[in-house]
Structures are given as C-alpha cells and as structure tokens.
Amino acid sequence: MQLVNRQKTLQALRELVGGIEDSATRSRSSFSLWRQGFARGLLTEFTGRGKTEFLVAFLKEHLDFKVAWIEETLSINPFGIFQRQGALQNITFIESHEKINWTVEQVLRSGVFEVVVVSQSLFSQDLLRRFQILNERNQGHFFLLSDELHSSWAIALQMEVQKTEEGLFDIFMKRHKEVL
Amino acid sequence: MKVICLYFPDKMRDYKLKDLAEIFYRYTPQIAVHGELALFLEISKCERLYPLDSMVRIIKKIMRQVQLNPRMAWAEDPSTALSLCVYQKKIKEDLPLEALPFYLNPFVKDEVQGQHLEKMRASFARLGVHTLRDFLSLPVSSLSSRFGRLGLYLHEQVSRPQKVWPFFVPEDKVIEKLSFQDDWHMGNLEVLTFYLKTLLDRVVLRLKGRGEEAKSIQVIFRQEKFSTIKNPDYSIDVSFSMPQLSTKAILALIKEKVEHALHHQPLQGIVESLSFEVKESIPLLTRQKDIFNPKKEEHEEAFGTLLARLSLKLGEKSVFQAQIKESHLPEKTWRRCLPQTQVVNPPSYATERPLRMLQRPEKINACQGQIFIFNKSLQVESLSHREVILSEWWNGFEERIYFRAKTTTGEQLWLFQSRLGVFLHGYFD
C-alpha cells in the first residue's frame, strides 16, 4: 500500500517538473551533426577534445538563439567563435569568478536565454537538479562543457566528442535518457 | 481650456509640489504650481490622448502610489478649478466671495491685493452679496464707481477668466527624501526595504515623467550628528550597466548593494532621513508597442535587469558582449562591450584561431619533443600550421612563431616561440 502511494507521489512530482514528458513530444533544436537534435529543457554535457567546436557548430546553425556563456575564468576566445560563424551579437559572456552557482541560477531564473553554456565547472548533485528544474521551466538548452563528466542523474545526455584531423567529429554516447 | 487642479490642504512632509508635478510632465507640459498648495494640469491639448475621465483615473492611481490624498476638481480655468477644490463646491456660481483672491492670480498669493480684497468682501457682505452668482449679477458700472479698477478687473476675471500660464521647468536633479520620526530606528533590512520602495516609487514616477531612465543612483542615510560620527552622511552609489526604469528591478539591485554595504560597514547612529539622488540618467527611448509579440518587451526588461544584477555582483567588466577588432595580434582581436550594443564586426582574414585562449601566454619548458605544462609532461607528435606574427612597430617588431602542436594524447595546443622562449597561448577544444 505504502509502495503504491510512493509511486503515485513520484508520478505526481515528475509531472510537476515536466520529467514525465515523453521524449517524442519534447521540442527539439535540430543539429546537422547529431540527427536527433537536442531536446529543450534538458541538461546536456559534452566532454572530449572537440566539445567546444561541436557546441559552436550547433550555435552556428541557430544564429537567432540568445546565448549566455558562463565561465569562472574566461578561456573562450570570442574571435574563434566569430571565425566559425557564430553570432557574437547574441552571445553574452559572463565571467563569474567564484560566484558560478549564483550566476548560473540567476541566468536560468531570468529565462531570457535560449541557450546557457557553462564551461569547466563542477557542480553538486543538488545544484544540477536545481538547474535542471529551472531549465525545464524555461524550455531552453543547458550545455555543460567539462573535462570529466559529472556522475549526476540530473543530466539527460552526456557525450564525448573528439575532433578528427579531417575536421570531423567522433561522437561517443555516454548517457542518453531523456525521460527523468 | 480645461484645467485639473489638485489641492493639498495638509502640509506635505518630504514633498515638494514641484517635484510631484514632474510626474505629470509626460501627460502635459502645461503644468503650474501654487506654492505648496495646489498643482494645475492643463489638459485641453492632450485630451484626445487622455480624455478627462482617463486622466482623472491616472491621477488617482499616481496619488495612491505616492500615498497622497489631494482634493481634485476640474474647470475651464485654473482659478475656478482651485476655488472648487478649496471650497468643495460643484459649480462656480456657488463659490463664496472668499474665492475672489484666486481669480486675481491662481498661481501666486498676492498679499497686498489680498488686503484690498478682504475689505471689498466685507463691503459685499454688508450688501448681501455672498456668492459669485450674486457678484456676477451686479452691474459693472456700479463696481467701477465703488471699488475702482480692482473691482472691474475681478468682475472680468470671474466672468471671462484669462490667465497667462507660467512656464514649467523640471528640477535639475531628481532627489527624493524621507525623514523619519525621532523614535524610529532601523530594525532590519525588511523595514528598510519598505522605505526604499516608497522612495523609489517616487523616483521612478518622476523619471518616467521626465522621459528618462536611471543609470546611477546614490542612496544616502543621514545619521544623527554625534561627536563619534565623523560623517553623518552614509552614502552608497549604485550604478547600472543597463539603464533601469522598473521599481522592482531597481529595488532588487539597491537592496543587494545596501545589504552588502551595511554588512561591511554598519550604520553608526540613528538614521534621521533617507534620500535618493539620481546621479546619472539617460533619455528613455520610447518605442511602438509590439502588439503581435507582447512578451518581447517583458523579455527585454528582464534581460536588462539580469545584466544589471550580474554586473553589480560580478563587476561591470565581467558581463559583456564581444566586439571584433581589426588586429593581427591574437590577444587583440576582440574587446569587451556592453551587451546589446549594435556592432558591425569587420571581416577576418586571419588563419583559424583556437577556441580556447589563455588570458596571458604561459611560458613552458620544451626539449626533445617533450613539453612540460602545468606539472604535466606531454609528448609532441607533430607540429603544423606555422605562422609568423610580428608585434606592433612601436613595440619593436618582436617576432612570434606560432605552431599547432598535436600531442600523443590527442591535445592540440597553440604554441609560439619568441626570443623569450616557448609559450602556450591557447588550445583547440
């Protein structure tokens, strides 16, 4: 009896945060290098030597997206994005220093960006879950660029991207669960 | 002519009528004040935009916001509007003769003529003339013989009022002040927030009236003068990266800044007054409302608020948009500018640069195909994409030879060699 109640509560909570939404019904942003495209409202994490190039290629295909690019200490080269035909006028760069958690939360809460990119930062399970809920509400894209993948269940899609010498991308799927 | 008069019978604390008048500057430029007693708005020219009933509703709403409750009346001329307010009558003819000074000049109290008028009113009372109706029924010829030029002039003004409207000039600065009672003390920040909001409402209304947006605001706590307090004025400057005109947004930013300041340096004494001064403002760019996308405006406001909030907390230079600069030096190819700046980026003819760049080139040790970076040893597999870049001539044409170094573990580093050694400048990621 208790188990049934617990399952019902979980179901209700999942519906509340949108976790129950079927992957087929989710709105997606297309990407020529990843035919399924990226589902909105989910957390996606990239790793590997080609992750930033891969993400910039995605942004190049969606020039109208408003992007927040958050780093603790800035290492991204905007000129590099410009050379790869990214829309610099739609990218807001934020150097958060030690206030990365606060910054990401504020950016997500505002709901003004369609894409939020957080680079080279480690977050706790609780924080990632909070980001996931906020992102779910905004129905935006949240991309993490990490050297090592987080082991959090809040991240729906984890990919390792390697850029080959020919300029192509080798993509290795590490996790793919679009229904939380 | 159609004039709305707001009459303030009680003396206002911390308010100047001229400041209050600025709020209505966006509706009509024809504004006049009578000392600290009455405010006149001439609305005949803006009546098509704001009909009388809408204007009355707007005024009532604004008065609620600034927590004032004036008497309001409207008429064809300022003298009648003011008299109706003061004597709380519905029609002009019912007004008592005490209203005559307002017909002499509704904008300024004339003390000298006032004494003559008082004598005139006493004479009229003896004759049984008590209202303007009675006064208007008197033959004009009898007035000139009995009361001379003044009587004739008054009769003309009451029957066909004609007044030269004074020119209204808004104050140079927007300053709002709130004085506290002697026994008031700041218990906590929530109490303070209440007062901040009250003041801010007034500031924002005035800015809207002037058609401006706040760029920088100074909050001043005036403390009681004690020998232990060196400077009784405790001031906090709040600058916004994006101009702001929303009470909610400004309040959140000011609250954050004040909280931070008071935490680091608490107030030393009892606060006598709190004031806001708009240090910098910029003209408000009004646009057509996008009726097909009403969310857009809301979205832009939220964007501006977020940027201001982030800039305040992280520093102005930490939130930016990148603008491309024409330079062959990799570290000078872009610069930071304010988000939402309309920029035209020049075309680039440089070879492909890495997406990750170090803020300063890091000197590395390299020998026999091995490089040592950040306590790590990496084996270089190949060097490619050789490029020679010279520094500016005023820096002595220093030569840098750039390479793309591929390591056995797959990293693609962007190195350069100069006369000072080998440096890591970026990496392909």
Side-chain angles (χ1 to χ4, degrees):
Chain A
M1 186 65 186
Q2 255 189 345
L3 193 69
V4 174
N5 281 343
R6 198 178 156 200
Q7 276 179 343
K8 275 186 182 171
T9 314
L10 274 173
Q11 182 84 357
L13 284 170
R14 279 181 180 143
E15 276 174 20
L16 199 68
V17 299
I20 204 77
E21 204 178 336
D22 182 24
S23 59
T25 60
R26 272 186 191 281
S27 154
R28 289 173 173 275
S29 298
S30 61
F31 186 27
S32 59
L33 299 176
W34 179 248
R35 66 182 167 80
Q36 288 125 299
F38 295 117
R40 285 171 177 264
L42 296 178
L43 264 57
T44 308
E45 187 172 30
F46 300 125
T47 189
R49 298 191 179 91
K51 55 184 183 292
T52 314
E53 297 262 2
F54 189 68
L55 183 59
V56 170
F58 171 71
L59 296 180
K60 184 190 155 187
E61 292 184 18
H62 298 278
L63 295 174
D64 53 332
F65 277 177
K66 266 193 176 300
V67 184
W69 194 292
I70 308 167
E71 295 189 2
E72 282 177 61
T73 308
L74 204 77
S75 68
I76 187 71
N77 176 17
F79 185 69
I81 298 178
F82 174 69
Q83 282 189 316
R84 287 156 184 83
Q85 292 155 32
L88 274 187
Q89 70 277 10
N90 281 341
I91 305 177
T92 303
F93 297 94
I94 304 166
E95 200 171 10
S96 65
H97 308 290
E98 69 277 10
K99 297 185 185 92
I100 183 91
N101 300 346
W102 179 85
T103 308
V104 176
E105 197 171 327
Q106 293 303 316
V107 167
L108 287 172
R109 271 189 199 285
S110 72
V112 294
F113 295 102
E114 280 138 309
V115 178
V116 177
V117 181
V118 183
S119 182
Q120 319 288 4
S121 291
L122 271 174
F123 298 105
S124 68
Q125 171 70 36
D126 291 353
L127 268 173
L128 284 171
R129 180 60 181 150
R130 193 184 302 171
F131 296 161
Q132 191 259 317
I133 292 169
L134 289 170
N135 191 46
E136 183 79 50
R137 202 169 59 187
N138 297 338
Q139 285 295 298
H141 294 287
F142 186 101
F143 295 111
L144 283 163
L145 299 175
S146 315
D147 287 339
E148 280 183 30
L149 293 172
H150 285 79
S151 58
S152 165
W153 55 268
I155 301 170
L157 184 66
Q158 288 183 320
M159 299 163 114
E160 188 185 324
V161 184
Q162 301 289 353
K163 195 173 182 191
T164 63
E165 278 181 31
E166 296 80 37
L168 303 171
F169 292 95
D170 285 337
I171 303 165
F172 305 96
M173 186 59 65
K174 297 291 177 181
R175 178 189 290 171
H176 191 189
K177 58 172 186 96
E178 293 201 351
V179 180
L180 293 171
Chain B
M1 190 188 270
K2 192 164 276 178
V3 180
I4 296 180
C5 175
L6 304 177
Y7 173 65
F8 299 84
D10 306 317
K11 196 174 179 334
M12 289 182 294
R13 212 167 146 229
D14 296 323
Y15 269 114
K16 277 199 283 177
L17 216 48
K18 207 175 169 197
D19 295 346
L20 195 68
E22 276 180 21
I23 297 173
F24 300 101
Y25 203 50
R26 63 188 289 211
Y27 302 106
T28 171
Q30 292 281 81
I31 298 173
V33 288
H34 180 118
E36 290 302 306
L37 198 69
L39 171 64
F40 301 97
L41 307 171
E42 203 269 287
I43 58 158
S44 48
K45 297 284 192 299
C46 63
E47 217 180 348
R48 289 194 180 189
L49 264 177
Y50 305 106
L52 181 67
D53 52 343
S54 321
M55 199 64 204
V56 168
R57 268 200 302 274
I58 290 169
I59 293 170
K60 281 183 179 168
K61 190 183 163 204
I62 290 172
M63 288 299 121
R64 268 199 304 276
Q65 265 179 288
V66 295
Q67 295 164 13
L68 289 173
N69 189 21
R71 287 186 208 158
M72 189 172 10
W74 47 92
E76 296 296 314
D77 62 286
S79 308
T80 310
L82 177 59
S83 307
L84 293 175
C85 270
V86 175
Y87 298 103
Q88 298 182 61
K89 300 286 181 194
K90 294 279 180 209
I91 54 168
K92 179 180 170 181
E93 283 73 21
D94 288 347
L95 286 167
L97 281 191
E98 280 83 352
L100 282 177
F102 298 138
Y103 283 89
L104 206 57
N105 192 343
F107 306 120
V108 185
K109 193 176 178 184
D110 193 333
E111 296 287 346
V112 181
Q113 296 286 20
Q115 287 171 0
H116 294 304
L117 274 175
E118 190 48 42
K119 281 181 193 165
M120 193 192 284
R121 197 190 60 77
S123 307
F124 278 131
R126 281 197 297 277
L127 292 168
V129 176
H130 298 288
T131 62
L132 291 191
R133 184 181 286 108
D134 303 336
F135 178 69
L136 287 171
S137 64
L138 292 173
V140 181
S141 53
S142 65
L143 282 173
S144 59
S145 59
R146 220 175 234 270
F147 302 104
R149 199 174 54 175
L150 185 64
L152 209 58
Y153 178 73
L154 269 175
H155 192 275
E156 196 181 306
Q157 285 303 314
V158 175
S159 53
R160 287 187 303 277
Q162 280 183 344
K163 284 283 166 279
V164 178
W165 199 274
F167 185 62
F168 179 77
V169 184
E171 293 284 322
D172 285 344
K173 285 182 174 181
V174 177
I175 302 171
E176 285 290 341
K177 192 179 160 194
L178 197 66
S179 303
F180 298 115
Q181 303 289 349
D182 295 340
D183 55 348
W184 186 84
H185 71 282
M186 198 179 76
N188 55 41
L189 203 70
E190 288 311 309
V191 180
L192 179 69
T193 309
F194 172 76
Y195 290 109
L196 286 174
K197 185 172 180 315
T198 310
L199 267 187
L200 205 56
D201 273 336
R202 278 149 57 172
V203 171
V204 168
L205 281 170
R206 278 180 70 185
L207 284 172
K208 276 184 186 167
R210 295 159 68 105
E212 292 172 0
E213 285 182 289
K215 190 85 176 58
S216 169
I217 287 180
Q218 189 177 47
V219 185
I220 305 164
F221 293 93
R222 170 151 287 182
Q223 302 168 90
E224 255 185 0
K225 280 182 186 165
F226 278 122
S227 56
T228 49
I229 303 171
K230 280 182 189 166
N231 185 6
D233 282 349
Y234 185 104
S235 59
I236 301 162
D237 289 305
V238 190
S239 300
F240 314 119
S241 60
M242 305 285 282
Q244 299 290 319
L245 196 62
S246 145
T247 310
K248 197 179 156 195
I250 301 176
L251 183 67
L253 298 168
I254 286 181
K255 205 176 144 188
E256 223 160 76
K257 187 93 179 184
V258 168
E259 197 175 346
H260 185 259
L262 293 179
H263 180 74
H264 284 273
Q265 197 189 337
L267 290 164
Q268 291 170 296
I270 294 167
V271 180
E272 272 184 349
S273 68
L274 173 66
S275 59
F276 274 16
E277 183 179 340
V278 178
K279 285 277 178 193
E280 197 186 341
S281 62
I282 61 160
L284 173 68
L285 292 171
T286 48
R287 282 175 300 179
Q288 285 279 348
K289 275 204 183 293
D290 191 345
I291 54 169
F292 299 108
N293 190 5
K295 284 253 169 198
K296 193 181 165 194
E297 211 170 287
E298 210 176 284
H299 208 71
E300 280 172 6
E301 194 183 306
F303 184 62
T305 308
L306 173 77
L307 292 181
R309 203 183 171 122
L310 291 173
S311 306
L312 205 65
K313 189 100 169 178
L314 308 171
E316 202 140 297
K317 285 189 173 176
S318 297
V319 185
F320 61 94
Q321 184 184 311
Q323 186 188 356
I324 299 305
K325 265 169 56 183
E326 271 183 285
S327 174
H328 63 284
L329 291 175
E331 63 273 23
K332 289 186 179 174
T333 46
W334 64 277
R335 68 180 180 91
R336 297 177 188 218
C337 64
L338 271 176
Q340 283 191 320
T341 311
Q342 293 294 326
V343 291
V344 179
N345 291 319
S348 157
Y349 303 105
T351 54
E352 192 182 61
R353 301 278 187 252
L355 276 171
R356 298 283 175 185
M357 291 268 279
L358 304 189
Q359 292 196 338
R360 280 207 185 112
E362 182 79 25
K363 191 168 185 192
I364 58 171
N365 293 318
C367 74
Q368 294 178 345
Q370 289 252 320
I371 51 174
F372 303 93
I373 312 166
F374 307 121
N375 299 328
K376 258 169 68 181
S377 165
L378 297 167
Q379 182 70 42
V380 176
E381 196 178 85
S382 63
L383 288 172
S384 60
H385 297 79
R386 186 178 182 272
E387 187 182 353
V388 180
I389 294 175
L390 292 174
S391 66
E392 286 114 345
W393 60 265
W394 55 91
N395 283 331
F397 284 124
E398 201 169 301
E399 189 183 68
R400 290 182 196 171
I401 306 166
Y402 278 88
F403 292 100
R404 204 183 282 194
K406 193 179 174 205
T407 66
T408 49
T409 46
E411 284 100 347
Q412 281 201 49
L413 309 173
W414 204 46
L415 311 172
F416 72 83
Q417 190 171 23
S418 73
R419 63 182 177 84
L420 298 168
V422 182
F423 291 82
L424 172 69
H425 203 170
Y427 53 97
F428 291 83
D429 185 41

